[in-house]
Amino acid sequence: MGQRGTPGLHADSGLLVCFDGFAARHCPEMTEKGQFRAIKGTRDILPADSALWNWFEQTARDVFETYGFRDIRLPVFEETVLFARSIGEETDVVAKEMYTFEDRGNVHVGYPQTVEEIVRSNEAVQAAWQAGRIPRTFDNELRVGLIQNACDRVSEEGAPALLRFIAELHALDLGDSITLRPEATAGSVRAYIEHGMHTQPGNVKLYYIGPMFRRERPQKGRYRQFYQVGAEVLGPSDAPAIDAEMLEMLLVFFDRVGLTKTTLYINSIGCHECRPKYVERLREELRKVKEQLGADSQRRIETNTLRVLDSKLPHEQAIIEKLPRISEHLCDACREHFAKLKEELKLRNIAYQENWRLVRGLDYYTRTTFEVTAAGLGSQNAVCGGGRYDGLVELLGGPAGIKGIGFAIGTDRAILSLQESGKLPALRGFEVFIAWMGAKAYPVAVAIARKLRARGFSVELPPEEMKFKKSLGLANKLGARYALIIGEDEAASGTYTLKRLVDAQQRKFSEGELLEHLASERGQGR
Ligand code: ATP
Ligand code: MG
C-alpha cells in the first residue's frame, strides 16, 4: 500500500492549484423538496427499536463474558490489502462488495500549464516514483510511463499532450487504499498480531459488536451497513472442544434472547492438506457438467470452486447432489477432528444437522464451518456464520502454529426474526412523570427528580409549568407508569401524591415512603 507523505507534488512547488473546496455533487438520496434521506441500504435505528438492540447486544456481552470472552473495539476501516489477502480476491465480498476509497491525505496535484511547469512536475513524479513514494501498483507504473511520454511530446504536440499529462497526473493513485470493514475477523487477527497477543497464556477469546459494510443489493435482511456481534478464539490449540464450546455459547445466547426456532448446520471443509485435492476433484467433475450450469457457477468452477456448492438455482440442485462430497476426501486428521466435534456437541446436548454443501463465502475457513438459520426471514435466513481459520494468522504475517475460530451473528436479521416471532421482552420504559404546578412545587419537583434518577428511575420533569389535567394527559401519552403529583399543598406539607396510570390508583407518601414504595414496585412489571 501507499506510504504516508507521498509524493513531492505540492502546492509549495509553485506549480499547482489546490482544490480543497466542497464540490456540489449530484445527490440521488435527496427528495424533491431538497430534504436528505439515508443512503440506500443504510437505515436509522430509532429509539422505538434501539432499546431492543441495546438489550440484544448487552445480553451478548453478558453471555460471552461468562465464557471468558472480552470485548475488542476495532477500527471501522483498515488497509484494503488486509481484506483482500484474508477474505480472498475471488470472493464476492472482495471482488464486488467492498467500500474502498483512496485516502489521499495531504497530497495534492495541480494543473501545470506551461511547458516549463510540465517538465518540473514530471521530474517530481519520476523522482517520487523512483524513491517509492508513489504506491507501486500496476496502474501507477503504467501512468508514470504515460506521464513521461506526454512530457516528452508536449513541446511538439502542444495541447493534446498537455491534456494527457494532466489526465494521467490526476489518475495516479497517490494515497493509501482503505476499505470500510465488510467483516471483523481480519481486523481481529490484525490486532492479535499487532499487539503480540500470542504471548498471552492459553487461547485468547475476543468478541466485538459493531457495523459492517458491503455493497449488496438491499432487501429485507440485507443492508449495506449492517451490524454484527461476533467472537473469535485465537491461540495454539485447535481442540474440537473449543469449536463445541463456541457453538454452545452461541446457542445459549440465542436461547437467552428468545431466538429459539433456529437450526445449526455444521460441516468440515478440510485443511490445506486435503482441501486442495478435493477442490481439484470437484473442479474436474464440474467441468464435465459445465454446460448445464448457470453463468455464475460456470465462472466459479475456475475462480472459487467450492462456492458452486452454495448455489440456490433450482436446476443446478440435482447436478450438485451428484458431485463428490468433501466428507469422503478429508485427511485422517480432519476426519478425526470432525468426528470429535460431533461427540463434543452430543455431550453438550446440542442439536445440529450436517450439511456437506456448507462452504461459506470467505477463503480463510478450514475444517469446521457452521451456520445458524432462524425463522421468519424468507431467503435471508442465516443469522450467524462462522468457522475455523487455522492458517489466517500466519497468512497475515503472524507467528506460525496459531489457530483460530470465530462466528458473526447478523444483528439486523436476528432482531427481525425476534420481531416476527412476536416474543419481545418487556423492556423498561419511562417510569415517573412529575406533574408539578405552582412556584413552590417546582424546587421540590427538581429535587425529587434528581433523587429518583440517582436510584435509577427514568424520570420526566416538564420544563415548563402545566395545568394538572394537561400534564397527566401528557404522562399518559408518553406511556409513563406513574405520575408524581406535586402541587402547592404537597409542597407545603412535604408529601407526594403518586398516581399509577394504568388503574388511576392514587396514594399520598412522605419522601422516604415514596422512595421505598417505588423501589418495591420495581421489577413487578406493569
Ligand atoms: P449471506 O449468505 O446471507 O450473504 P454471508 O455468508 O455473506 O451471508 P457472513 O459473512 O458469514 O455472511 O456474515 C455473518 C452474518 O452476517 C450472516 O449470517 C448474516 O446474518 C449477516 N449478514 C451478512 N451480510 C449481511 C447484509 N448485507 N445485511 C445484513 N446482514 C448480513
Ligand atoms: Mg453475503
Side-chain angles (χ1 to χ4, degrees), residues 320-353:
I320 292 172
E321 283 301 316
K322 288 195 212 106
L323 291 169
R325 302 186 174 201
I326 180 108
S327 51
E328 288 141 26
H329 294 81
L330 293 177
C331 62
D332 289 348
C334 286
R335 193 191 314 275
E336 201 182 309
H337 191 274
F338 195 39
K340 207 78 210 299
L341 168 66
K342 288 184 271 185
E343 272 174 37
E344 284 276 353
L345 291 175
K346 288 211 181 81
L347 178 73
R348 290 155 203 265
N349 283 325
I350 296 174
Y352 61 85
Q353 287 186 28

PDB file of all heavy atoms in Angstrom, residues 320-353:
ATOM      1  N   ILE A 320     -25.664 -30.834  -8.484  1.00  0.00           N
ATOM      2  CA  ILE A 320     -24.764 -30.662  -7.338  1.00  0.00           C
ATOM      3  C   ILE A 320     -24.842 -31.866  -6.389  1.00  0.00           C
ATOM      4  O   ILE A 320     -23.833 -32.334  -5.873  1.00  0.00           O
ATOM      5  CB  ILE A 320     -25.086 -29.341  -6.595  1.00  0.00           C
ATOM      6  CG1 ILE A 320     -24.710 -28.155  -7.495  1.00  0.00           C
ATOM      7  CG2 ILE A 320     -24.345 -29.259  -5.270  1.00  0.00           C
ATOM      8  CD1 ILE A 320     -25.128 -26.801  -6.986  1.00  0.00           C
ATOM      9  N   GLU A 321     -26.056 -32.392  -6.231  1.00  0.00           N
ATOM     10  CA  GLU A 321     -26.207 -33.535  -5.330  1.00  0.00           C
ATOM     11  C   GLU A 321     -25.353 -34.731  -5.751  1.00  0.00           C
ATOM     12  O   GLU A 321     -24.987 -35.558  -4.926  1.00  0.00           O
ATOM     13  CB  GLU A 321     -27.687 -33.944  -5.225  1.00  0.00           C
ATOM     14  CG  GLU A 321     -28.522 -33.020  -4.332  1.00  0.00           C
ATOM     15  CD  GLU A 321     -27.999 -32.952  -2.895  1.00  0.00           C
ATOM     16  OE1 GLU A 321     -27.657 -33.999  -2.332  1.00  0.00           O
ATOM     17  OE2 GLU A 321     -27.926 -31.825  -2.353  1.00  0.00           O
ATOM     18  N   LYS A 322     -25.042 -34.819  -7.034  1.00  0.00           N
ATOM     19  CA  LYS A 322     -24.253 -35.981  -7.502  1.00  0.00           C
ATOM     20  C   LYS A 322     -22.745 -35.746  -7.445  1.00  0.00           C
ATOM     21  O   LYS A 322     -21.960 -36.629  -7.759  1.00  0.00           O
ATOM     22  CB  LYS A 322     -24.652 -36.301  -8.957  1.00  0.00           C
ATOM     23  CG  LYS A 322     -26.024 -36.915  -9.059  1.00  0.00           C
ATOM     24  CD  LYS A 322     -26.228 -37.561 -10.433  1.00  0.00           C
ATOM     25  CE  LYS A 322     -27.670 -37.483 -10.861  1.00  0.00           C
ATOM     26  NZ  LYS A 322     -27.936 -36.492 -11.910  1.00  0.00           N
ATOM     27  N   LEU A 323     -22.332 -34.557  -7.033  1.00  0.00           N
ATOM     28  CA  LEU A 323     -20.893 -34.239  -7.025  1.00  0.00           C
ATOM     29  C   LEU A 323     -20.181 -34.951  -5.866  1.00  0.00           C
ATOM     30  O   LEU A 323     -20.823 -35.318  -4.876  1.00  0.00           O
ATOM     31  CB  LEU A 323     -20.714 -32.722  -6.885  1.00  0.00           C
ATOM     32  CG  LEU A 323     -21.154 -31.899  -8.093  1.00  0.00           C
ATOM     33  CD1 LEU A 323     -21.191 -30.416  -7.733  1.00  0.00           C
ATOM     34  CD2 LEU A 323     -20.234 -32.136  -9.289  1.00  0.00           C
ATOM     35  N   PRO A 324     -18.867 -35.128  -5.991  1.00  0.00           N
ATOM     36  CA  PRO A 324     -18.135 -35.733  -4.860  1.00  0.00           C
ATOM     37  C   PRO A 324     -18.243 -34.864  -3.607  1.00  0.00           C
ATOM     38  O   PRO A 324     -18.299 -33.639  -3.719  1.00  0.00           O
ATOM     39  CB  PRO A 324     -16.685 -35.784  -5.351  1.00  0.00           C
ATOM     40  CG  PRO A 324     -16.610 -34.926  -6.552  1.00  0.00           C
ATOM     41  CD  PRO A 324     -17.991 -34.826  -7.113  1.00  0.00           C
ATOM     42  N   ARG A 325     -18.319 -35.525  -2.462  1.00  0.00           N
ATOM     43  CA  ARG A 325     -18.509 -34.792  -1.207  1.00  0.00           C
ATOM     44  C   ARG A 325     -17.219 -34.733  -0.412  1.00  0.00           C
ATOM     45  O   ARG A 325     -16.477 -35.707  -0.352  1.00  0.00           O
ATOM     46  CB  ARG A 325     -19.594 -35.477  -0.376  1.00  0.00           C
ATOM     47  CG  ARG A 325     -20.863 -35.531  -1.153  1.00  0.00           C
ATOM     48  CD  ARG A 325     -22.030 -36.053  -0.373  1.00  0.00           C
ATOM     49  NE  ARG A 325     -23.212 -35.900  -1.227  1.00  0.00           N
ATOM     50  CZ  ARG A 325     -24.450 -35.870  -0.787  1.00  0.00           C
ATOM     51  NH1 ARG A 325     -24.681 -35.999   0.501  1.00  0.00           N
ATOM     52  NH2 ARG A 325     -25.449 -35.712  -1.615  1.00  0.00           N
ATOM     53  N   ILE A 326     -17.006 -33.587   0.243  1.00  0.00           N
ATOM     54  CA  ILE A 326     -15.740 -33.383   0.960  1.00  0.00           C
ATOM     55  C   ILE A 326     -15.554 -34.408   2.068  1.00  0.00           C
ATOM     56  O   ILE A 326     -14.444 -34.861   2.335  1.00  0.00           O
ATOM     57  CB  ILE A 326     -15.621 -31.942   1.512  1.00  0.00           C
ATOM     58  CG1 ILE A 326     -14.295 -31.710   2.265  1.00  0.00           C
ATOM     59  CG2 ILE A 326     -16.745 -31.576   2.441  1.00  0.00           C
ATOM     60  CD1 ILE A 326     -13.313 -30.873   1.580  1.00  0.00           C
ATOM     61  N   SER A 327     -16.683 -34.832   2.699  1.00  0.00           N
ATOM     62  CA  SER A 327     -16.551 -35.772   3.824  1.00  0.00           C
ATOM     63  C   SER A 327     -15.831 -37.056   3.399  1.00  0.00           C
ATOM     64  O   SER A 327     -15.174 -37.705   4.211  1.00  0.00           O
ATOM     65  CB  SER A 327     -17.922 -36.104   4.396  1.00  0.00           C
ATOM     66  OG  SER A 327     -18.769 -36.504   3.341  1.00  0.00           O
ATOM     67  N   GLU A 328     -15.934 -37.393   2.112  1.00  0.00           N
ATOM     68  CA  GLU A 328     -15.254 -38.605   1.634  1.00  0.00           C
ATOM     69  C   GLU A 328     -13.799 -38.340   1.280  1.00  0.00           C
ATOM     70  O   GLU A 328     -13.067 -39.259   0.909  1.00  0.00           O
ATOM     71  CB  GLU A 328     -15.987 -39.157   0.400  1.00  0.00           C
ATOM     72  CG  GLU A 328     -17.329 -39.777   0.760  1.00  0.00           C
ATOM     73  CD  GLU A 328     -18.399 -39.484  -0.272  1.00  0.00           C
ATOM     74  OE1 GLU A 328     -18.048 -39.250  -1.448  1.00  0.00           O
ATOM     75  OE2 GLU A 328     -19.588 -39.460   0.108  1.00  0.00           O
ATOM     76  N   HIS A 329     -13.360 -37.087   1.360  1.00  0.00           N
ATOM     77  CA  HIS A 329     -11.989 -36.760   0.949  1.00  0.00           C
ATOM     78  C   HIS A 329     -11.175 -36.095   2.039  1.00  0.00           C
ATOM     79  O   HIS A 329     -10.080 -35.602   1.785  1.00  0.00           O
ATOM     80  CB  HIS A 329     -12.025 -35.853  -0.289  1.00  0.00           C
ATOM     81  CG  HIS A 329     -12.587 -36.552  -1.486  1.00  0.00           C
ATOM     82  ND1 HIS A 329     -13.945 -36.692  -1.699  1.00  0.00           N
ATOM     83  CD2 HIS A 329     -11.976 -37.183  -2.505  1.00  0.00           C
ATOM     84  CE1 HIS A 329     -14.143 -37.370  -2.813  1.00  0.00           C
ATOM     85  NE2 HIS A 329     -12.963 -37.683  -3.326  1.00  0.00           N
ATOM     86  N   LEU A 330     -11.709 -36.092   3.269  1.00  0.00           N
ATOM     87  CA  LEU A 330     -10.943 -35.466   4.361  1.00  0.00           C
ATOM     88  C   LEU A 330      -9.724 -36.315   4.692  1.00  0.00           C
ATOM     89  O   LEU A 330      -9.781 -37.551   4.618  1.00  0.00           O
ATOM     90  CB  LEU A 330     -11.825 -35.343   5.615  1.00  0.00           C
ATOM     91  CG  LEU A 330     -13.006 -34.378   5.542  1.00  0.00           C
ATOM     92  CD1 LEU A 330     -13.812 -34.433   6.848  1.00  0.00           C
ATOM     93  CD2 LEU A 330     -12.535 -32.953   5.274  1.00  0.00           C
ATOM     94  N   CYS A 331      -8.630 -35.660   5.084  1.00  0.00           N
ATOM     95  CA  CYS A 331      -7.468 -36.420   5.549  1.00  0.00           C
ATOM     96  C   CYS A 331      -7.794 -36.986   6.943  1.00  0.00           C
ATOM     97  O   CYS A 331      -8.781 -36.577   7.571  1.00  0.00           O
ATOM     98  CB  CYS A 331      -6.217 -35.548   5.579  1.00  0.00           C
ATOM     99  SG  CYS A 331      -6.343 -34.142   6.703  1.00  0.00           S
ATOM    100  N   ASP A 332      -6.960 -37.877   7.439  1.00  0.00           N
ATOM    101  CA  ASP A 332      -7.274 -38.539   8.712  1.00  0.00           C
ATOM    102  C   ASP A 332      -7.438 -37.537   9.844  1.00  0.00           C
ATOM    103  O   ASP A 332      -8.362 -37.637  10.654  1.00  0.00           O
ATOM    104  CB  ASP A 332      -6.178 -39.554   9.067  1.00  0.00           C
ATOM    105  CG  ASP A 332      -6.236 -40.752   8.126  1.00  0.00           C
ATOM    106  OD1 ASP A 332      -7.255 -40.871   7.398  1.00  0.00           O
ATOM    107  OD2 ASP A 332      -5.270 -41.539   8.100  1.00  0.00           O
ATOM    108  N   ALA A 333      -6.525 -36.559   9.881  1.00  0.00           N
ATOM    109  CA  ALA A 333      -6.575 -35.587  10.991  1.00  0.00           C
ATOM    110  C   ALA A 333      -7.876 -34.784  10.955  1.00  0.00           C
ATOM    111  O   ALA A 333      -8.496 -34.552  11.994  1.00  0.00           O
ATOM    112  CB  ALA A 333      -5.371 -34.664  10.912  1.00  0.00           C
ATOM    113  N   CYS A 334      -8.298 -34.384   9.759  1.00  0.00           N
ATOM    114  CA  CYS A 334      -9.533 -33.593   9.649  1.00  0.00           C
ATOM    115  C   CYS A 334     -10.754 -34.444   9.964  1.00  0.00           C
ATOM    116  O   CYS A 334     -11.694 -33.990  10.620  1.00  0.00           O
ATOM    117  CB  CYS A 334      -9.667 -32.991   8.248  1.00  0.00           C
ATOM    118  SG  CYS A 334      -8.558 -31.608   7.970  1.00  0.00           S
ATOM    119  N   ARG A 335     -10.720 -35.683   9.496  1.00  0.00           N
ATOM    120  CA  ARG A 335     -11.848 -36.583   9.754  1.00  0.00           C
ATOM    121  C   ARG A 335     -12.023 -36.789  11.267  1.00  0.00           C
ATOM    122  O   ARG A 335     -13.110 -36.732  11.812  1.00  0.00           O
ATOM    123  CB  ARG A 335     -11.588 -37.935   9.072  1.00  0.00           C
ATOM    124  CG  ARG A 335     -12.826 -38.831   9.002  1.00  0.00           C
ATOM    125  CD  ARG A 335     -12.453 -40.242   8.578  1.00  0.00           C
ATOM    126  NE  ARG A 335     -11.537 -40.241   7.435  1.00  0.00           N
ATOM    127  CZ  ARG A 335     -11.922 -40.160   6.173  1.00  0.00           C
ATOM    128  NH1 ARG A 335     -13.194 -40.114   5.882  1.00  0.00           N
ATOM    129  NH2 ARG A 335     -11.034 -40.151   5.199  1.00  0.00           N
ATOM    130  N   GLU A 336     -10.882 -36.969  11.936  1.00  0.00           N
ATOM    131  CA  GLU A 336     -10.915 -37.195  13.374  1.00  0.00           C
ATOM    132  C   GLU A 336     -11.404 -35.938  14.107  1.00  0.00           C
ATOM    133  O   GLU A 336     -12.193 -36.011  15.040  1.00  0.00           O
ATOM    134  CB  GLU A 336      -9.495 -37.535  13.842  1.00  0.00           C
ATOM    135  CG  GLU A 336      -9.474 -38.252  15.165  1.00  0.00           C
ATOM    136  CD  GLU A 336      -8.042 -38.515  15.584  1.00  0.00           C
ATOM    137  OE1 GLU A 336      -7.266 -39.069  14.752  1.00  0.00           O
ATOM    138  OE2 GLU A 336      -7.696 -38.131  16.710  1.00  0.00           O
ATOM    139  N   HIS A 337     -10.944 -34.776  13.649  1.00  0.00           N
ATOM    140  CA  HIS A 337     -11.343 -33.509  14.262  1.00  0.00           C
ATOM    141  C   HIS A 337     -12.867 -33.341  14.171  1.00  0.00           C
ATOM    142  O   HIS A 337     -13.531 -32.975  15.142  1.00  0.00           O
ATOM    143  CB  HIS A 337     -10.623 -32.350  13.557  1.00  0.00           C
ATOM    144  CG  HIS A 337     -10.749 -31.032  14.279  1.00  0.00           C
ATOM    145  ND1 HIS A 337     -11.813 -30.182  14.094  1.00  0.00           N
ATOM    146  CD2 HIS A 337      -9.941 -30.422  15.186  1.00  0.00           C
ATOM    147  CE1 HIS A 337     -11.652 -29.106  14.868  1.00  0.00           C
ATOM    148  NE2 HIS A 337     -10.521 -29.229  15.527  1.00  0.00           N
ATOM    149  N   PHE A 338     -13.404 -33.668  13.010  1.00  0.00           N
ATOM    150  CA  PHE A 338     -14.847 -33.510  12.781  1.00  0.00           C
ATOM    151  C   PHE A 338     -15.644 -34.506  13.629  1.00  0.00           C
ATOM    152  O   PHE A 338     -16.656 -34.159  14.237  1.00  0.00           O
ATOM    153  CB  PHE A 338     -15.143 -33.680  11.285  1.00  0.00           C
ATOM    154  CG  PHE A 338     -16.506 -33.200  10.880  1.00  0.00           C
ATOM    155  CD1 PHE A 338     -17.066 -32.051  11.431  1.00  0.00           C
ATOM    156  CD2 PHE A 338     -17.242 -33.883   9.910  1.00  0.00           C
ATOM    157  CE1 PHE A 338     -18.326 -31.590  11.039  1.00  0.00           C
ATOM    158  CE2 PHE A 338     -18.501 -33.438   9.511  1.00  0.00           C
ATOM    159  CZ  PHE A 338     -19.045 -32.292  10.090  1.00  0.00           C
ATOM    160  N   ALA A 339     -15.137 -35.742  13.691  1.00  0.00           N
ATOM    161  CA  ALA A 339     -15.831 -36.767  14.485  1.00  0.00           C
ATOM    162  C   ALA A 339     -15.850 -36.352  15.963  1.00  0.00           C
ATOM    163  O   ALA A 339     -16.861 -36.480  16.661  1.00  0.00           O
ATOM    164  CB  ALA A 339     -15.138 -38.120  14.323  1.00  0.00           C
ATOM    165  N   LYS A 340     -14.725 -35.853  16.427  1.00  0.00           N
ATOM    166  CA  LYS A 340     -14.594 -35.402  17.821  1.00  0.00           C
ATOM    167  C   LYS A 340     -15.546 -34.228  18.101  1.00  0.00           C
ATOM    168  O   LYS A 340     -16.161 -34.148  19.154  1.00  0.00           O
ATOM    169  CB  LYS A 340     -13.129 -34.977  18.022  1.00  0.00           C
ATOM    170  CG  LYS A 340     -12.601 -35.071  19.413  1.00  0.00           C
ATOM    171  CD  LYS A 340     -12.254 -36.479  19.829  1.00  0.00           C
ATOM    172  CE  LYS A 340     -12.443 -36.679  21.324  1.00  0.00           C
ATOM    173  NZ  LYS A 340     -11.688 -35.888  22.224  1.00  0.00           N
ATOM    174  N   LEU A 341     -15.641 -33.333  17.135  1.00  0.00           N
ATOM    175  CA  LEU A 341     -16.547 -32.186  17.302  1.00  0.00           C
ATOM    176  C   LEU A 341     -17.975 -32.686  17.511  1.00  0.00           C
ATOM    177  O   LEU A 341     -18.685 -32.219  18.408  1.00  0.00           O
ATOM    178  CB  LEU A 341     -16.480 -31.272  16.070  1.00  0.00           C
ATOM    179  CG  LEU A 341     -17.587 -30.214  15.996  1.00  0.00           C
ATOM    180  CD1 LEU A 341     -17.461 -29.196  17.130  1.00  0.00           C
ATOM    181  CD2 LEU A 341     -17.565 -29.487  14.657  1.00  0.00           C
ATOM    182  N   LYS A 342     -18.374 -33.668  16.711  1.00  0.00           N
ATOM    183  CA  LYS A 342     -19.750 -34.160  16.824  1.00  0.00           C
ATOM    184  C   LYS A 342     -19.982 -34.823  18.180  1.00  0.00           C
ATOM    185  O   LYS A 342     -21.036 -34.666  18.793  1.00  0.00           O
ATOM    186  CB  LYS A 342     -20.067 -35.099  15.654  1.00  0.00           C
ATOM    187  CG  LYS A 342     -20.202 -34.301  14.346  1.00  0.00           C
ATOM    188  CD  LYS A 342     -20.610 -35.148  13.170  1.00  0.00           C
ATOM    189  CE  LYS A 342     -19.404 -35.730  12.472  1.00  0.00           C
ATOM    190  NZ  LYS A 342     -19.730 -36.460  11.258  1.00  0.00           N
ATOM    191  N   GLU A 343     -18.964 -35.539  18.676  1.00  0.00           N
ATOM    192  CA  GLU A 343     -19.068 -36.123  20.029  1.00  0.00           C
ATOM    193  C   GLU A 343     -19.250 -35.030  21.068  1.00  0.00           C
ATOM    194  O   GLU A 343     -20.062 -35.122  21.986  1.00  0.00           O
ATOM    195  CB  GLU A 343     -17.776 -36.877  20.383  1.00  0.00           C
ATOM    196  CG  GLU A 343     -17.744 -38.312  19.961  1.00  0.00           C
ATOM    197  CD  GLU A 343     -16.354 -38.902  20.231  1.00  0.00           C
ATOM    198  OE1 GLU A 343     -15.730 -38.553  21.258  1.00  0.00           O
ATOM    199  OE2 GLU A 343     -15.893 -39.686  19.376  1.00  0.00           O
ATOM    200  N   GLU A 344     -18.433 -33.995  20.925  1.00  0.00           N
ATOM    201  CA  GLU A 344     -18.485 -32.870  21.876  1.00  0.00           C
ATOM    202  C   GLU A 344     -19.860 -32.194  21.853  1.00  0.00           C
ATOM    203  O   GLU A 344     -20.354 -31.738  22.875  1.00  0.00           O
ATOM    204  CB  GLU A 344     -17.411 -31.834  21.526  1.00  0.00           C
ATOM    205  CG  GLU A 344     -16.005 -32.242  21.927  1.00  0.00           C
ATOM    206  CD  GLU A 344     -15.701 -31.919  23.388  1.00  0.00           C
ATOM    207  OE1 GLU A 344     -16.536 -31.254  24.036  1.00  0.00           O
ATOM    208  OE2 GLU A 344     -14.637 -32.336  23.873  1.00  0.00           O
ATOM    209  N   LEU A 345     -20.453 -32.115  20.671  1.00  0.00           N
ATOM    210  CA  LEU A 345     -21.776 -31.483  20.572  1.00  0.00           C
ATOM    211  C   LEU A 345     -22.817 -32.358  21.267  1.00  0.00           C
ATOM    212  O   LEU A 345     -23.698 -31.855  21.970  1.00  0.00           O
ATOM    213  CB  LEU A 345     -22.149 -31.232  19.106  1.00  0.00           C
ATOM    214  CG  LEU A 345     -21.320 -30.159  18.393  1.00  0.00           C
ATOM    215  CD1 LEU A 345     -21.699 -30.075  16.910  1.00  0.00           C
ATOM    216  CD2 LEU A 345     -21.493 -28.789  19.039  1.00  0.00           C
ATOM    217  N   LYS A 346     -22.696 -33.673  21.094  1.00  0.00           N
ATOM    218  CA  LYS A 346     -23.636 -34.590  21.756  1.00  0.00           C
ATOM    219  C   LYS A 346     -23.527 -34.465  23.259  1.00  0.00           C
ATOM    220  O   LYS A 346     -24.517 -34.395  23.979  1.00  0.00           O
ATOM    221  CB  LYS A 346     -23.349 -36.029  21.336  1.00  0.00           C
ATOM    222  CG  LYS A 346     -23.763 -36.287  19.909  1.00  0.00           C
ATOM    223  CD  LYS A 346     -24.198 -37.725  19.661  1.00  0.00           C
ATOM    224  CE  LYS A 346     -24.563 -37.908  18.197  1.00  0.00           C
ATOM    225  NZ  LYS A 346     -23.363 -38.102  17.343  1.00  0.00           N
ATOM    226  N   LEU A 347     -22.272 -34.405  23.731  1.00  0.00           N
ATOM    227  CA  LEU A 347     -22.011 -34.259  25.157  1.00  0.00           C
ATOM    228  C   LEU A 347     -22.725 -33.033  25.725  1.00  0.00           C
ATOM    229  O   LEU A 347     -23.147 -32.997  26.870  1.00  0.00           O
ATOM    230  CB  LEU A 347     -20.498 -34.110  25.346  1.00  0.00           C
ATOM    231  CG  LEU A 347     -19.947 -33.889  26.745  1.00  0.00           C
ATOM    232  CD1 LEU A 347     -20.048 -35.185  27.534  1.00  0.00           C
ATOM    233  CD2 LEU A 347     -18.486 -33.442  26.674  1.00  0.00           C
ATOM    234  N   ARG A 348     -22.837 -32.013  24.907  1.00  0.00           N
ATOM    235  CA  ARG A 348     -23.452 -30.749  25.355  1.00  0.00           C
ATOM    236  C   ARG A 348     -24.932 -30.647  24.975  1.00  0.00           C
ATOM    237  O   ARG A 348     -25.515 -29.570  25.070  1.00  0.00           O
ATOM    238  CB  ARG A 348     -22.687 -29.578  24.725  1.00  0.00           C
ATOM    239  CG  ARG A 348     -21.312 -29.399  25.291  1.00  0.00           C
ATOM    240  CD  ARG A 348     -20.376 -28.696  24.316  1.00  0.00           C
ATOM    241  NE  ARG A 348     -18.997 -29.015  24.622  1.00  0.00           N
ATOM    242  CZ  ARG A 348     -18.199 -28.261  25.370  1.00  0.00           C
ATOM    243  NH1 ARG A 348     -18.635 -27.143  25.852  1.00  0.00           N
ATOM    244  NH2 ARG A 348     -16.970 -28.643  25.617  1.00  0.00           N
ATOM    245  N   ASN A 349     -25.482 -31.749  24.488  1.00  0.00           N
ATOM    246  CA  ASN A 349     -26.900 -31.761  24.061  1.00  0.00           C
ATOM    247  C   ASN A 349     -27.218 -30.706  23.019  1.00  0.00           C
ATOM    248  O   ASN A 349     -28.250 -30.048  23.080  1.00  0.00           O
ATOM    249  CB  ASN A 349     -27.836 -31.551  25.254  1.00  0.00           C
ATOM    250  CG  ASN A 349     -27.950 -32.811  26.059  1.00  0.00           C
ATOM    251  OD1 ASN A 349     -27.929 -33.913  25.477  1.00  0.00           O
ATOM    252  ND2 ASN A 349     -28.038 -32.670  27.361  1.00  0.00           N
ATOM    253  N   ILE A 350     -26.319 -30.520  22.094  1.00  0.00           N
ATOM    254  CA  ILE A 350     -26.549 -29.518  21.055  1.00  0.00           C
ATOM    255  C   ILE A 350     -27.030 -30.227  19.786  1.00  0.00           C
ATOM    256  O   ILE A 350     -26.334 -31.097  19.253  1.00  0.00           O
ATOM    257  CB  ILE A 350     -25.256 -28.722  20.760  1.00  0.00           C
ATOM    258  CG1 ILE A 350     -24.865 -27.934  22.010  1.00  0.00           C
ATOM    259  CG2 ILE A 350     -25.438 -27.804  19.552  1.00  0.00           C
ATOM    260  CD1 ILE A 350     -23.548 -27.220  21.898  1.00  0.00           C
ATOM    261  N   ALA A 351     -28.228 -29.861  19.362  1.00  0.00           N
ATOM    262  CA  ALA A 351     -28.776 -30.480  18.148  1.00  0.00           C
ATOM    263  C   ALA A 351     -28.166 -29.800  16.931  1.00  0.00           C
ATOM    264  O   ALA A 351     -27.982 -28.580  16.918  1.00  0.00           O
ATOM    265  CB  ALA A 351     -30.286 -30.308  18.129  1.00  0.00           C
ATOM    266  N   TYR A 352     -27.823 -30.584  15.911  1.00  0.00           N
ATOM    267  CA  TYR A 352     -27.240 -29.992  14.705  1.00  0.00           C
ATOM    268  C   TYR A 352     -27.636 -30.824  13.501  1.00  0.00           C
ATOM    269  O   TYR A 352     -28.092 -31.962  13.635  1.00  0.00           O
ATOM    270  CB  TYR A 352     -25.705 -29.961  14.797  1.00  0.00           C
ATOM    271  CG  TYR A 352     -25.082 -31.331  14.935  1.00  0.00           C
ATOM    272  CD1 TYR A 352     -24.800 -32.121  13.811  1.00  0.00           C
ATOM    273  CD2 TYR A 352     -24.798 -31.855  16.193  1.00  0.00           C
ATOM    274  CE1 TYR A 352     -24.256 -33.383  13.942  1.00  0.00           C
ATOM    275  CE2 TYR A 352     -24.252 -33.119  16.338  1.00  0.00           C
ATOM    276  CZ  TYR A 352     -23.978 -33.879  15.208  1.00  0.00           C
ATOM    277  OH  TYR A 352     -23.453 -35.144  15.340  1.00  0.00           O
ATOM    278  N   GLN A 353     -27.461 -30.241  12.341  1.00  0.00           N
ATOM    279  CA  GLN A 353     -27.610 -31.009  11.102  1.00  0.00           C
ATOM    280  C   GLN A 353     -26.328 -30.873  10.308  1.00  0.00           C
ATOM    281  O   GLN A 353     -25.777 -29.777  10.217  1.00  0.00           O
ATOM    282  CB  GLN A 353     -28.765 -30.447  10.274  1.00  0.00           C
ATOM    283  CG  GLN A 353     -30.111 -30.788  10.875  1.00  0.00           C
ATOM    284  CD  GLN A 353     -31.247 -30.360   9.969  1.00  0.00           C
ATOM    285  OE1 GLN A 353     -31.104 -30.297   8.746  1.00  0.00           O
ATOM    286  NE2 GLN A 353     -32.374 -30.053  10.573  1.00  0.00           N
TER     287      GLN A 353
END
